[in-house]
Each structure stands twice: as C-alpha cells, then as structure tokens.
Amino acid sequence: AADALIIEGKFDQALGKLREAAKNEKDRERGYDIKIRDALVNLYRGRVGYSRFLLNRINRNYFYSPALIAAARTYIYYPPYDRQEGRKRLGSVLRKEPKNWMALTELGYCEFFLGNYKPAKKHFETALTINRKNMRAFYGLADILFRKKEYMNAIHTLEDALRVEPENPETMKKIGDIYMGSTIKRRTDSAVSWYDRSLEYAQNRP
C-alpha cells in the first residue's frame, strides 16, 4: 500500500503506513528495512538531513549494513555532499562484510567523485568478481576508463555488461555516449547506431 502511495506522490500517507508497519513489526531487521524506506521517502521529498538522521539512528546501537549503505548514499549523491563521511560508513560495512558488493560499488563511486580513480577502479573490479550482474559496477568502471581516454577499453567493458544482460537499453545508450564523447573514427555513426538499438529495446520492454 505504501508503494502505491509513493508512486502517486502521496508521501505523507505513505509515511503514515510505513511508520505503522514499523511499529507492528516484531522482527528487528525487517523493522529496520521499513525504517530505511521511511528515510528514502524523506530523501525524495528533499529532506536530506532528516533522512540521514533516521538512517544513522538505526546504526547507533546495532550494526545493520543496509542502513549504513543507504546513509552513505545520502552523503555521496545528495547535497550537502560529504563523501568522506560516506566513505567512513562504507568502510564500516566492509570491515565486517568484506564481500559486500553493494558497499564496494558505492565506495567505487565515492572514490570516483573524489577523483581517486585507481582505488575506484579496484573497488568496481572487486565488486564484479563477487556479483557479475552488477551493472552499476560495469558503468562505474567504464566511466573511469572514459575519463582516462581509454575509449575502446570503456566500450569493451560495456560490451561485457551486455553479455550479462544482452537486452539492456541503458548499457546500449552508454556505449553510444562513449562513442559520441570520444575521438574514435566514425564515432557519430557508431553512436547513432547504439542509440537506435537502445531505443528499440526500450520500446519493446514490457
């Protein structure tokens, strides 16, 4: 019920449903999952500080990696940015769960935004060894290679992603973007071809 209300933009009603569900949930971690959704709804409303408060409160007396990762994302992707704080929370997760591919992926993006491409690349590659279906790690790795002007390596990385998800229109569009922003010969023709494929697959998705 809360999901439908969120889609309709009825955030106050959705928050009411989530808080009622959290109060009635007897399993601690399932209750925390509901509270994470509460924090995300507040984030969608632009209440970044309050969202951070809710997520940090979960981990005050209990280690729960999904809440730490969600909190880290608020520092990495939403202003006021504090990527050092995001890195700190992800480090807490990885000290206890070194194979947490979601934390590794977010740490890769955190380092990427800080301009630290070498550790970012390592984190994305490690995340992919754990979960080969992790499209965000493929995209992050391709972004690093593009920034380093290794255009064909970036394209090959996204082609690897397509071998995992052959009908992913977002990956096709990203290949087009790399061609368009590169110095590769006939880049415009190649980019348009990939954009056309992306549009075709997007339109055929259910």
Side-chain angles (χ1 to χ4, degrees):
D3 289 338
L5 291 168
I6 292 167
I7 292 168
E8 293 172 13
K10 298 176 180 177
F11 297 123
D12 288 332
Q13 293 178 46
L15 288 170
K17 294 280 187 185
L18 290 170
R19 286 165 188 170
E20 182 182 353
K23 191 164 84 171
N24 294 329
E25 179 56 62
K26 293 182 173 56
D27 180 86
R28 176 161 57 179
E29 292 193 350
R30 285 171 65 182
Y32 285 159
D33 287 336
I34 296 169
K35 290 179 180 179
I36 291 170
R37 291 175 66 201
D38 182 328
L40 294 178
V41 172
N42 278 285
L43 192 63
Y44 301 151
R45 300 180 75 185
R47 302 177 68 187
V48 179
Y50 186 58
S51 177
R52 288 173 180 165
F53 166 77
L54 293 173
L55 292 166
N56 290 332
R57 188 169 64 176
I58 292 172
N59 287 291
R60 192 169 297 159
N61 299 308
Y62 184 78
F63 175 87
Y64 192 51
S65 59
L68 279 166
I69 294 169
R73 286 173 175 151
T74 71
Y75 292 108
I76 295 168
Y77 302 112
Y78 294 89
Y81 304 110
D82 189 344
R83 285 162 182 153
Q84 300 290 350
E85 196 65 39
R87 179 199 275 158
K88 178 181 172 182
R89 279 159 176 72
L90 295 168
S92 296
V93 174
L94 291 167
R95 277 190 291 276
K96 288 200 173 188
E97 301 175 3
K99 293 188 176 181
N100 188 313
W101 59 270
M102 287 185 288
L104 284 163
T105 302
E106 298 305 341
L107 188 55
Y109 277 102
C110 185
E111 297 293 357
F112 175 79
F113 291 131
L114 289 168
N116 302 326
Y117 295 156
K118 187 174 180 179
K121 184 172 181 285
K122 180 182 176 182
H123 295 316
F124 289 136
E125 288 172 342
T126 304
L128 283 167
T129 64
I130 298 165
N131 180 4
R132 197 65 183 166
K133 295 182 179 180
N134 181 0
M135 290 296 112
R136 292 192 68 243
F138 274 118
Y139 299 160
L141 188 54
D143 285 341
I144 290 170
L145 294 166
F146 178 80
R147 291 288 182 95
K148 294 171 71 177
K149 299 186 178 180
E150 296 181 24
Y151 301 124
M152 288 311 302
N153 286 336
I155 289 166
H156 293 328
T157 295
L158 294 173
E159 288 173 342
D160 287 342
L162 276 180
R163 279 187 272 276
V164 178
E165 292 187 5
E167 298 183 0
N168 189 317
E170 185 176 356
T171 305
M172 296 173 191
K173 180 183 179 300
K174 285 183 177 295
I175 295 175
D177 290 342
I178 288 175
Y179 270 113
M180 189 61 78
S182 75
T183 56
I184 298 169
K185 290 182 179 180
R186 298 181 62 81
R187 60 185 180 275
T188 303
D189 290 344
S190 296
V192 169
S193 174
W194 280 103
Y195 289 146
D196 286 345
R197 287 179 65 181
S198 173
L199 183 62
E200 179 184 350
Y201 277 96
Q203 289 174 336
N204 290 333
R205 276 193 164 185

